[in-house]
Amino acid sequence: MLNFEIVNPTRIIFGKDQLDRLPVLIKELSPSKRILFAYGGGSIKKNGLHTKILEKLNEFKIIEFGGIEANPQFNTLMKGVRLAQAEKVDFILAVGGGSVIDGVKFMTGAYFYKGDPWDVLLRKDGCTFDDSLSFGTILTLPATGSEANSGAVISRKELNEKRTMGGPLFFPKFSFLDPTVVSTLPKRQLANGIVDAFMHTLEQYLTYPSGNHLQERQAEAILSTLIEIGPSLTDQPGNYELAANLMWCATHALNGNLRCGVPTDWTTHMIGHELTAFYGIDHARTLAIIAPRLFENQFENKKQKLVQYGKRVWELDGNDDEVAKAAIEKTEQFFQLLEIPTHISDYTDPSPEIAKIIRQRFEERGWTEMGERKAILLSDVESIVAAAI
Ligand code: NZQ
Ligand code: ZN
């Protein structure tokens, strides 16, 4: 088992009808009682959550900032930063999925930053966020785990860029996880959520045997639960028990717990972000495109864990090669069962050069040896993308 350190200060309030707690929690965090209420494109207006929140917060001065798009855009978020500064808020409430929550994480850091916050996302020498506003979240889409972690992904369409940021300053102070929000999710977003949580788990599991039996079993528990509930939930999004299980799985998949003491391989996410940056393909779908091809490419390096995964999660029999191969096939079929196609050309007419372009980007960023064994080289990145077209 590898050494590790973990802290997760986010308070989780799980379940339905809990919003009475919202003003109580914010009061502790916002002495000025001036808060920015950030949300996305309007789903919370359609399902009534917007009105409910305003009712609960009637003793606060609320400054609204709607319109944060999926794959939150730097330019939009900077408008929110300027609004928050002009209105001198001391707290931000993020209501939405990963995009709104990530966007708010960025805004809380950019609020205090003196230079161009894009430099922080580019990791220019010495550019970091040193301070942040406090913020809390009300999650409306179980998928990313952003409600319980300190990472964020910010996009800039005009540059075809999607960049990550994070650090201890960016844990939400609290997150409300109410599974009833799932009932209004379009099937596409629900399937995305299942696949994103599934892939967060696999990226911290499909490496080599870690000797951390607890963490490996916990990963397998999440995978098995998602396989069990996923297809039924997309058919009945109003089923509270299924929705609650997805929500709790998605949070656990990326709240820091699964990475304790184990090797990880986030290459599928790294390549996937490029596909979103270039083609706007939904985040989870990029993972479904890349993962099966990456597992095939890294078959020998990941074989022991593929076999463990195949036997324990998919209950497969056979020799090691058969089980490992079938485990990859089962994974791809699971994505397809959720109506998530697994090739780039299913979504767009890709440039024949895309594999080379992504390889070149990785090279420019110095990402030349990836994966748990540093065995995924630039040539592999190019092959994986080419095979995924
Ligand atoms: O904007 P609105 O109108 O709210 O609609 C949203 C959006 O169009 C809709 N939606 C959300 N909740 C809903 C709802 N529609 C009906 N009913 C509800 N209850 O769903 C659409 C997608 O929302 P979005 O927030 O973009 O989805 P998701 O949660 O999948 O977030 C994706 C973003 O998170 C990043 C991704 O890269 C992407 O930018 N990620 C963040 C991570 C993190 N912070 O830890 C890790 C992930 O790997 C991921 O990279
Ligand atoms: Zn993800």
Side-chain angles (χ1 to χ4, degrees):
M1 195 191 299
L2 304 176
N3 294 351
F4 64 91
E5 183 171 330
I6 183 169
V7 59
N8 189 326
T10 302
R11 179 193 300 265
I12 301 291
I13 304 101
F14 194 98
K16 55 185 158 189
D17 303 328
Q18 302 256 40
L19 275 189
D20 282 349
R21 298 272 289 120
L22 185 62
V24 183
L25 290 170
I26 297 185
K27 227 182 272 175
E28 289 171 9
L29 299 163
S30 170
S32 77
K33 291 193 160 184
R34 297 176 67 81
I35 72 173
L36 192 79
F37 170 12
Y39 53 91
S43 69
I44 66 162
K45 289 195 170 159
K46 280 193 211 132
N47 64 17
L49 190 54
H50 180 266
T51 309
K52 259 193 223 161
I53 290 169
L54 289 181
E55 278 167 15
K56 298 289 176 199
L57 298 182
N58 58 13
E59 63 186 290
F60 294 84
K61 166 78 180 160
I62 305 292
I63 294 99
E64 291 197 34
F65 181 64
I68 298 177
E69 45 297 83
N71 305 308
Q73 293 294 320
F74 176 81
N75 293 335
T76 305
L77 300 171
M78 286 309 294
K79 286 183 196 156
V81 172
R82 288 189 284 272
L83 178 64
Q85 289 166 335
E87 295 285 348
K88 295 190 171 44
V89 305
D90 60 0
F91 183 84
I92 305 185
L93 179 65
V95 186
S99 294
V100 172
I101 298 174
D102 282 10
V104 164
K105 288 178 182 174
F106 169 80
M107 284 161 58
T108 64
Y111 182 93
F112 290 110
Y113 193 69
K114 297 282 180 271
D116 179 356
W118 185 246
D119 291 343
V120 177
L121 295 164
L122 292 182
R123 293 184 171 69
K124 273 202 183 157
D125 285 347
C127 295
T128 52
F129 291 136
D130 298 323
D131 202 355
S132 67
L133 274 182
S134 57
F135 71 102
T137 88
I138 299 178
L139 181 69
T140 66
L141 199 177
T144 62
S146 187
E147 68 280 5
N149 69 39
S150 60
V153 196
I154 306 302
S155 296
R156 201 160 176 179
K157 210 180 258 165
E158 77 271 23
L159 305 177
N160 285 337
E161 287 274 13
K162 189 166 182 189
R163 293 286 185 146
T164 57
M165 57 158 275
L169 289 170
F170 300 103
F171 279 103
K173 295 286 185 216
F174 62 76
S175 285
F176 282 80
L177 273 58
D178 175 354
T180 60
V181 297
V182 170
S183 65
T184 62
L185 275 175
K187 201 169 184 176
R188 167 177 150 198
Q189 298 302 343
L190 193 42
N192 285 352
I194 296 162
V195 169
D196 198 20
F198 199 86
M199 281 309 307
H200 293 159
T201 310
L202 280 187
E203 300 240 61
Q204 299 168 92
Y205 171 81
L206 260 188
T207 53
Y208 53 77
S210 67
N212 187 341
H213 301 275
L214 174 64
Q215 232 66 85
E216 295 196 4
R217 294 272 185 197
Q218 286 185 336
E220 288 155 3
I222 294 173
L223 297 168
S224 299
T225 306
L226 291 172
I227 291 164
E228 185 185 321
I229 64 171
S232 319
L233 181 56
T234 52
D235 287 340
Q236 18 166 352
N239 183 316
Y240 183 83
E241 186 175 317
L242 297 177
N245 275 284
L246 169 61
M247 203 168 242
W248 199 219
C249 279
T251 298
H252 272 278
L254 203 52
N255 67 358
N257 181 40
L258 290 186
R259 68 164 169 74
C260 291
V262 305
T264 59
D265 171 12
W266 287 98
T267 314
T268 296
H269 268 72
M270 292 161 79
I271 302 176
H273 287 334
E274 298 304 317
L275 294 182
T276 304
F278 279 105
Y279 298 124
I281 301 172
D282 291 352
H283 169 64
R285 286 159 194 257
T286 68
L287 309 177
I289 290 167
I290 296 301
R293 307 293 81 84
L294 185 140
F295 299 151
E296 285 164 359
N297 176 279
Q298 291 295 302
F299 189 78
E300 291 301 327
N301 287 329
K302 293 184 186 289
K303 195 192 291 180
Q304 272 180 288
K305 280 308 270 293
L306 279 167
V307 172
Q308 181 178 324
Y309 166 59
K311 287 187 174 165
R312 291 193 189 169
V313 175
W314 291 108
E315 299 175 358
L316 299 168
D317 291 322
N319 67 36
D320 282 2
D321 277 6
E322 285 165 357
V323 172
K325 190 166 172 283
I328 299 173
E329 286 164 6
K330 284 277 185 189
T331 307
E332 188 163 5
Q333 285 161 9
F334 178 59
F335 300 153
Q336 289 163 345
L337 181 67
L338 296 167
E339 296 177 19
I340 297 208
T342 54
H343 286 89
I344 303 172
S345 51
D346 295 323
Y347 299 88
T348 186
D349 187 13
S351 154
E353 297 296 304
I354 188 63
K356 278 201 176 60
I357 295 170
I358 292 179
R359 173 193 176 132
Q360 202 176 347
R361 282 200 154 189
F362 274 45
E363 192 168 10
E364 282 161 14
R365 291 176 197 165
W367 300 346
T368 52
E369 293 176 339
M370 287 148 293
E372 67 279 9
R373 300 179 198 265
K374 299 202 178 306
I376 306 181
L377 307 177
L378 290 170
S379 52
D380 296 306
V381 171
E382 186 175 341
S383 308
I384 291 164
V385 177
I389 289 178

